[in-house]
Amino acid sequence: MCHLIKKMQYDPQLLEQKIIYKLLTGIVIPRPIAWISSVSEDGINNLAPFSYFNMVGDDPPHVMFSTRRNNNSNKDSLNNVLATHQFVVNMVTKDLAEPMNASSATVAAEVDEFELVGVTPIPSEKVKPMRVAESPIQLECELVHHYFLEDHQQGGACVLIGRVVMIHITDELLLDEARINNELYKPIARLGGSNYCEQGEIFSIKRT
């Protein structure tokens, strides 16, 4: 029998935005990290992490990420993707945590974060943005849709959906039948505050 437990209730329309942020980023965990590389119309590389990220579908393959707009201002990543309609998702493992975190710093648009955090840019096959060579998995994407959240307090956010046009996977991570070796992959994920986590215990349940 289910025993009803009294719960706190929060109406988002009555809360400050910072409280909503703390609640949701503490509730929706763990969140995969998309290390988004983009390029400006002037050819300047950009690299920044986003934990509002996930897959949308596989037929055809699409992923999404969302970027917050603080003080009604676009981040460089958003400006670049809206201008070029292209981006790359570089997946993040624990050994890349430090440069990934460093790339979240607010710097001038003229700064190349690949150089700033010391990772290696390599050309993509079908899109202009560079890939992070050190990342074991990269998804080249073409923007197909974007949506600015309405009725916001401090700038809102923009949701971007991209079609995956090329997938790069380090050979050692691939098992038979296109399965990923989770023991070797070891991605990290975002929690609330400044916390991250590694892949924990894995258990299986067959789908009915």
Side-chain angles (χ1 to χ4, degrees):
M1 180 182 293
C2 177
H3 295 283
L4 295 179
I5 300 174
K6 186 177 180 180
K7 297 180 174 68
M8 289 290 294
Q9 297 183 125
Y10 297 92
D11 184 339
Q13 292 187 335
L14 304 178
L15 295 176
E16 293 183 39
Q17 192 276 330
K18 64 180 181 181
I19 300 299
I20 299 173
Y21 172 79
K22 288 181 179 179
L23 287 172
L24 288 182
T25 56
I27 292 169
V28 184
I29 59 172
R31 299 186 305 280
I33 301 168
W35 207 6
I36 300 293
S37 51
S38 60
V39 63
S40 72
E41 292 182 295
D42 296 327
I44 300 172
N45 293 326
N46 183 270
L47 184 63
F50 297 88
S51 66
Y52 295 178
F53 160 67
N54 220 308
M55 59 184 287
V56 176
D58 60 272
D59 183 22
H62 284 70
V63 295
M64 63 74 61
F65 76 98
S66 176
T67 170
R68 298 171 68 207
R69 299 179 67 254
N70 296 325
N71 300 317
N72 292 302
S73 177
N74 289 354
K75 294 185 178 181
D76 294 333
S77 297
L78 176 56
N79 287 332
N80 291 348
V81 176
L82 292 180
T84 67
H85 288 198
Q86 296 181 337
F87 62 93
V88 176
V89 176
N90 303 275
M91 300 305 295
V92 182
T93 49
K94 188 176 182 180
D95 58 326
L96 293 173
E98 290 296 336
M100 176 276 297
N101 185 57
S103 70
S104 67
T106 301
V107 296
E110 294 75 23
V111 174
D112 182 331
E113 282 89 353
F114 281 87
E115 295 181 3
L116 180 68
V117 305
V119 293
T120 309
I122 54 175
S124 297
E125 294 293 325
K126 292 188 175 183
V127 299
K128 292 181 179 179
M130 293 289 188
R131 295 179 286 137
V132 176
E134 291 81 359
S135 171
I137 298 177
Q138 304 118 5
L139 310 175
E140 298 184 24
C141 301
E142 294 274 4
L143 180 69
V144 297
H145 181 69
H146 72 277
Y147 169 70
F148 285 93
L149 303 189
E150 300 176 353
D151 193 25
H152 49 74
Q153 295 184 31
Q154 297 181 7
C158 183
V159 180
L160 302 107
I161 297 176
R163 180 167 182 163
V164 180
V165 295
M166 184 63 70
I167 302 171
H168 304 265
I169 304 175
T170 301
D171 289 348
E172 64 179 5
L173 296 185
L174 280 173
L175 299 173
D176 294 338
E177 300 179 346
R179 292 178 295 122
I180 302 295
N181 188 328
N182 287 311
E183 293 184 1
L184 295 180
Y185 181 23
K186 298 181 179 180
I188 60 172
R190 194 78 162 84
L191 301 175
S194 58
N195 297 317
Y196 295 82
C197 68
E198 296 180 76
Q199 182 173 267
E201 178 183 355
I202 298 175
F203 65 94
S204 300
I205 300 177
K206 291 185 178 180
R207 299 181 66 174
T208 57

